[in-house]
Structure formats: structure tokens, C-alpha cells
Amino acid sequence: MNTFGKIFTITSFGESHGAGIGGVIDGMPAGIEVDMNFIQRELDRRRPGQSAITTGRNEADKVEILSGVFEGKTTGCPIGFLVRNTNQHSQDYENMRCLFRPSHADFTYQQKYGIRDHRGGGRSSARITISRCVAGAFAKLALNQLGITIQAYTSQVGNIALDRDYKKYDLSLTETNAVRCPDTEKAKEMENLIKEVKAEGDTIGGTITCVIKGCPVGLGEPEFGKLHQSLGSAMLSINAVKGFEYGEGFNGLAMRGSEQNDLFNEGIGNGMKTNHSGGIQGGISNGEDIYFRVAFKPVATQLREQETIDLEGNPTLLKAKGRHDPCVLPRAVPIVEAMAAITILDHYLIGKTTRL
């Protein structure tokens, strides 16, 4: 289960403190111009050490393309790539060799496989999302030719939240601050909260909102390949994600059908008067903006003392060492975008043969 997608696929490999993180992208359309600066920028948005509110691990995350690109264009062949790990501090995790971090994958990996890489969490580390960002960057290059754009942003940290209506914000401001929030005042509040939590050796969660524009009508494969189902699966596969909702989501439960139904503008293809459905109806895109929210839990690794157990089940105390994010949201924004891009391109390629 290290492969995602049906036609456009990404198979990833690597561990946090191994030699590197890499993958193979298959199903990439041929003839797409490859902008390596764009691909590297997407990785730079995810990489550690960006600001005072992210982990201090100092990695360049320089991507090497090994195959599938010739004279600056995709060939249609599998695209192999590698990002080498260069700044591991494995000794920081030695005190976790025989202990389980509460609410972390340490325990479940040990029970499932009988062995685990305690250095940075091994395969369960968020560092493996590098592969997703590379694949997502290639998917974005293809989607750009179709006029499809994807923009995610931090919409909540702790109890500091933006309005649910993304149209109230200038999303071009998302990259102007360390939190990746389009509301500059709220961004300052969020950043201060993250710094406060970090100083206490604690962590905090929140939500990321994503908006997909320009998506054509018809993406999605009922009965068991609905578009929102695939997006939900993509988002819930990201480390620390605890929830997914699209359109009005849970907020719509208090509404009546007469309030939530999206009425048509006159004429076929002229859109709808509202978009409570979030751009998807019956599992198929309807041409409106697709928007959804992803909930991230507080990071499990704490730089403060916690009760835990060792490999034999004996009670003990753990105070983690090393470099960890106090809040994953700022670095998770490009990961959400990447998984959305992979999903949309995959569904576009699937749907190309459904109607002549």
C-alpha cells in the first residue's frame, strides 16, 4: 500500500533517517514541459527549517530526476526521483528505542511488524510526504494546461479560526507569512500561539482549507470511485490528519434542504446560484469550485515529560529530544495541495474515455 492513484500513480519509498526519500510517478502524460524551478519551489514550501515555528531540521530537499524527462519534457515513461537525507540527528532518538510515544505510530508499527525504525519515526515520519509533493508538482504542471488551479491555506490554529467562506479572503496572500494564512492579522495571532505552544514544549493542531478552481464537469466514478471519496482518501492518508469535510460539511447539518440545495442559473452550463455542495454532486464534479477542509491533530511528539510504557509494558517517563514541529499546518499546506492535484489529475485521466 505504498502506491496511490489508478492511472496517474505515485509509489513512494524511504524513511526519515534513511539514505533518502524517493518515488516513481507513472501515468504522467507525455509532452508536458517540466519546470524544475517550480518543482523545487513546491518542495521548498514543505521543507523543514523555514521559520521559527517549524522544526529546526536543516535539509535542502534537493530533488534529483532520474528518468521520464527528456530535453525538458515528460516522455510518458515512469518518472523516478530521489531526495537525499543529509541532516539526520539519529542520536536524538536513542531514548525512544525502547519506549513508545503516546498517540504516535511507534506502538502500532511495533505490534504489526515486530520491528520499527525509532529514528525519527522511520516510515511513519511526515518526511516521507516529500514524495507526494514531487508527484503533486508534476500533476500541477499538467493541470495548469487544463486551467485547473489548486490553492490551500491555513484556516485555523487552535481556537483562532477564519470565516468558513474562502471567498472573503485574498488567497494570493497565503504565502506572505510563515503560517500560510491569507488573513494577515489572524496569521500574526496564529504565529504567536504556535510560538507560545512551542516554548512550553507542547503542540497544537488546526485545519487547512483547499480550493480547486477550473475543474470541469464530470470528474468522479460512481459507485465506489466518487470524487469526494477519492479526495477524502487522499487527505486522510496524510500524517496527523483526523478529519475531512467538503462543501458545507458538518456545518450543513443544521440547515434545511430548501436552504442547502444549489439552484441552477438559467441555461445548461451557466453554473449555480450557490455552492453548498462544494463543487461535487452525486460523487461527480459539477463545474463549480471544489472546496474542502482537512483537520490536523496536534503533533504527538512532545518536548515535555509524558507518561508512557516501554517495550515490555512497564510504566516509565519520556521526554522527547530532537527537532519537531510544534504545529504541522504551515508545512502541510503544500502537501494538501499535492494530494489534491494527484487526485484531480488521476480522475481527469480516468474520465477521458467515458464519453466520445
Side-chain angles (χ1 to χ4, degrees), residues 189-331:
E189 294 179 35
M190 292 175 179
E191 183 170 356
N192 288 335
L193 176 58
I194 295 172
K195 287 179 177 178
E196 177 185 327
V197 167
K198 181 180 180 181
E200 296 171 354
D202 214 332
T203 59
I204 197 163
T207 64
I208 288 174
T209 297
C210 186
V211 183
I212 304 171
K213 292 180 175 289
C215 192
V217 179
L219 302 192
E221 301 297 317
E223 173 66 11
F224 298 112
K226 294 180 173 71
L227 184 57
H228 61 269
Q229 170 193 340
S230 297
L231 285 169
S233 176
M235 298 307 142
L236 289 164
S237 74
I238 300 172
N239 308 57
V241 169
K242 285 294 187 180
F244 169 84
E245 63 172 357
Y246 74 101
E248 290 292 344
F250 289 105
N251 194 52
L253 300 180
M255 301 169 68
R256 298 191 178 190
S258 56
E259 298 173 294
Q260 189 163 166
N261 284 351
D262 295 317
L263 304 183
F264 295 96
N265 290 316
E266 185 176 348
I268 298 296
N270 291 328
M272 299 173 185
K273 296 178 181 180
T274 56
N275 188 21
H276 300 299
S277 300
I280 303 172
Q281 292 170 330
I284 302 172
S285 60
N286 65 8
E288 300 293 321
D289 291 351
I290 296 171
Y291 63 95
F292 57 85
R293 286 163 296 280
V294 187
F296 286 79
K297 73 171 185 175
V299 177
T301 306
Q302 302 280 296
L303 297 180
R304 60 195 299 175
E305 201 167 71
Q306 290 189 98
E307 296 179 358
T308 189
I309 59 173
D310 62 20
L311 292 176
E312 285 72 45
N314 301 310
T316 185
L317 295 174
L318 169 66
K319 183 177 182 181
K321 301 177 183 177
R323 301 160 296 176
H324 307 278
D325 285 294
C327 178
V328 299
L329 295 164
R331 295 176 60 214

Side-chain angles (χ1 to χ4, degrees), residues 47-341:
R47 76 175 182 84
Q50 295 179 44
S51 70
I53 59 172
T54 63
T55 172
R57 183 168 177 169
N58 185 19
E59 295 275 8
D61 285 355
K62 185 70 174 177
V63 63
E64 304 171 35
I65 304 299
L66 307 178
S67 64
V69 177
F70 179 68
E71 294 184 342
K73 291 186 178 181
T74 57
T75 63
C77 298
I79 298 170
F81 62 89
L82 176 66
V83 174
R84 300 182 188 276
N85 292 329
T86 61
N87 190 236
Q88 308 98 309
H89 287 182
S90 299
Q91 67 277 6
D92 289 344
Y93 296 86
E94 194 57 33
N95 69 326
M96 301 183 197
R97 178 184 289 272
C98 298
L99 304 180
F100 299 122
R101 284 171 285 181
S103 288
H104 200 278
D106 292 345
F107 174 75
T108 50
Y109 266 58
Q110 184 72 40
Q111 295 301 108
K112 181 176 177 66
Y113 299 106
I115 187 173
R116 67 183 170 94
D117 184 348
H118 66 282
R119 305 166 304 166
R123 186 70 174 159
S124 69
S125 168
R127 183 154 179 77
I128 65 167
T129 57
I130 284 173
S131 297
R132 302 165 183 242
C133 287
V134 175
F138 274 95
K140 282 185 176 182
L141 291 174
L143 293 176
N144 285 344
Q145 295 197 8
L146 301 172
I148 300 173
T149 62
I150 298 171
Q151 174 71 69
Y153 61 93
T154 299
S155 51
Q156 182 171 351
V157 174
N159 61 354
I160 303 170
L162 303 189
D163 191 280
R164 290 172 61 92
D165 186 358
Y166 64 90
K167 293 180 180 179
K168 294 184 177 181
Y169 302 99
D170 179 357
L171 301 189
S172 68
L173 298 176
T174 299
E175 295 293 321
T176 63
N177 56 75
V179 186
R180 293 199 164 93
C181 172
D183 184 318
T184 53
E185 292 303 314
K186 289 284 188 181
K188 292 176 183 176
E189 294 179 35
M190 292 175 179
E191 183 170 356
N192 288 335
L193 176 58
I194 295 172
K195 287 179 177 178
E196 177 185 327
V197 167
K198 181 180 180 181
E200 296 171 354
D202 214 332
T203 59
I204 197 163
T207 64
I208 288 174
T209 297
C210 186
V211 183
I212 304 171
K213 292 180 175 289
C215 192
V217 179
L219 302 192
E221 301 297 317
E223 173 66 11
F224 298 112
K226 294 180 173 71
L227 184 57
H228 61 269
Q229 170 193 340
S230 297
L231 285 169
S233 176
M235 298 307 142
L236 289 164
S237 74
I238 300 172
N239 308 57
V241 169
K242 285 294 187 180
F244 169 84
E245 63 172 357
Y246 74 101
E248 290 292 344
F250 289 105
N251 194 52
L253 300 180
M255 301 169 68
R256 298 191 178 190
S258 56
E259 298 173 294
Q260 189 163 166
N261 284 351
D262 295 317
L263 304 183
F264 295 96
N265 290 316
E266 185 176 348
I268 298 296
N270 291 328
M272 299 173 185
K273 296 178 181 180
T274 56
N275 188 21
H276 300 299
S277 300
I280 303 172
Q281 292 170 330
I284 302 172
S285 60
N286 65 8
E288 300 293 321
D289 291 351
I290 296 171
Y291 63 95
F292 57 85
R293 286 163 296 280
V294 187
F296 286 79
K297 73 171 185 175
V299 177
T301 306
Q302 302 280 296
L303 297 180
R304 60 195 299 175
E305 201 167 71
Q306 290 189 98
E307 296 179 358
T308 189
I309 59 173
D310 62 20
L311 292 176
E312 285 72 45
N314 301 310
T316 185
L317 295 174
L318 169 66
K319 183 177 182 181
K321 301 177 183 177
R323 301 160 296 176
H324 307 278
D325 285 294
C327 178
V328 299
L329 295 164
R331 295 176 60 214
V333 166
I335 302 169
V336 167
E337 289 182 4
M339 293 307 294

Side-chain angles (χ1 to χ4, degrees), residues 1-33:
M1 302 300 291
N2 295 295
T3 299
F4 182 85
K6 289 184 170 60
I7 293 181
F8 181 85
T9 66
I10 169 64
T11 301
S12 73
F13 66 84
E15 297 86 31
S16 178
H17 286 225
I21 310 293
V24 176
I25 302 165
D26 206 358
M28 180 70 183
I32 304 295
E33 290 191 14

